[in-house]
Amino acid sequence: MATPTQDWTNEQLLSDAVSKKDIVTFLHLNASHDFLVEYKLTGKLPTVVKNAKKDSLLEAYSSLFARQAFRGADEPSEEELMTAKNAAPVVEKKEVAAEVGPPKFTKTVLKKGDKSGYPRKGSNVGVFYTGYFEDGTVFDTNDNTKKKNNPLRFRVGTGRVIAGWDEAMLSMSRGEKAKITIEPEHAYGKKGVPDAKVPIPPNSRLIFDVELVSLD
């Protein structure tokens, strides 16, 4: 492909004698695709003309010759690319419904925390809690109203507690109190805890009133 000649004088380019459409058409026919991408001049001609400023087009026009960034002989012009794109068959996209299971937990905040001290995976936390079934029966507690009780301490996200707890702790900030409901598959699942002081039946949804009292 022969190098295009620069037909317009500077006076013509700066005047209304050469329109934005004239310059964009010239660039689309002669500039390489990478050059057009760099100057954000790809796309349909009317759209590019509408959005481009003439100062920017003049800069691109001058740069094209300075850098010799012309398209190769075998490279389609921008107009040819757009024609081919518009002629391409439209492939219908089928939406696949995502399989969404129940959440690991749901939480109701009873008392806001400091909104700054959030556990991370591996953080050591101290927690007071009361766990009960949906009928209100308490199966475990270290209720902090009894002074002899100490917080339960464990490292978050390390599997030391049921999965629902590991996830729920990451959403709480220091000092927060919350009611957390954990689905069976993220609690004790199909096995339950039959040998606990208060047995937990299989497939039990568990509810905990939890207070995050310390964070290291």
Side-chain angles (χ1 to χ4, degrees):
M1 177 180 176
T3 301
T5 58
Q6 189 171 4
D7 296 323
W8 297 311
T9 65
N10 288 335
E11 289 76 11
Q12 288 175 319
L13 288 169
L14 293 171
S15 70
D16 293 335
V18 179
S19 67
K20 291 198 301 180
K21 182 178 180 181
D22 293 331
I23 301 174
V24 174
T25 300
F26 181 88
L27 293 172
H28 272 199
L29 290 173
N30 296 289
S32 69
H33 183 69
D34 289 344
F35 180 89
L36 294 173
V37 170
E38 179 183 345
Y39 280 89
K40 300 180 181 178
L41 297 173
T42 58
K44 294 182 179 180
L45 180 65
T47 303
V48 177
V49 172
K50 178 181 178 181
N51 295 331
K53 294 182 178 179
K54 191 166 184 181
D55 288 347
S56 299
L57 292 177
L58 293 176
E59 179 185 345
Y61 181 81
S62 176
S63 178
L64 175 66
F65 286 92
R67 292 164 50 181
Q68 294 292 293
F70 301 105
R71 68 183 181 89
D74 297 330
E75 183 181 355
S77 69
E78 188 65 16
E79 298 306 313
E80 290 170 333
L81 286 173
M82 291 305 300
T83 300
K85 181 179 178 181
N86 292 335
V90 177
V91 179
E92 183 180 355
K93 294 182 179 180
K94 295 183 179 180
E95 294 186 2
V96 179
E99 294 184 6
V100 179
K104 290 184 179 180
F105 70 94
T106 55
K107 185 180 79 169
T108 302
V109 176
L110 304 176
K111 175 188 172 185
K112 293 181 180 179
D114 61 11
K115 294 292 185 180
S116 59
Y118 287 91
R120 297 181 179 181
K121 187 174 181 179
S123 296
N124 191 34
V125 298
V127 177
F128 283 113
Y129 69 92
T130 296
Y132 49 96
F133 302 120
E134 291 180 289
D135 65 1
T137 302
V138 173
F139 60 83
D140 192 15
T141 184
N142 69 342
D143 187 354
N144 65 345
T145 59
K146 299 178 181 179
K147 294 183 179 181
K148 65 178 182 178
N149 287 337
N150 295 315
L152 171 68
R153 300 188 183 277
F154 64 95
R155 292 197 177 277
V156 176
T158 59
R160 302 293 180 86
V161 293
I162 57 178
W165 261 52
D166 262 342
E167 292 292 327
M169 290 302 108
L170 297 175
S171 74
M172 297 181 67
S173 62
R174 187 189 293 108
E176 182 178 327
K177 292 182 180 180
K179 175 177 288 187
I180 299 169
T181 301
I182 301 178
E183 298 300 316
E185 53 267 52
H186 303 298
Y188 295 102
K190 296 178 180 179
K191 294 182 178 180
V193 188
D195 57 350
K197 185 175 180 181
V198 178
I200 298 176
N203 299 314
S204 294
R205 180 182 287 110
L206 304 180
I207 304 169
F208 294 89
D209 290 337
V210 178
E211 180 181 6
L212 179 59
V213 293
S214 66
L215 170 63
D216 301 324

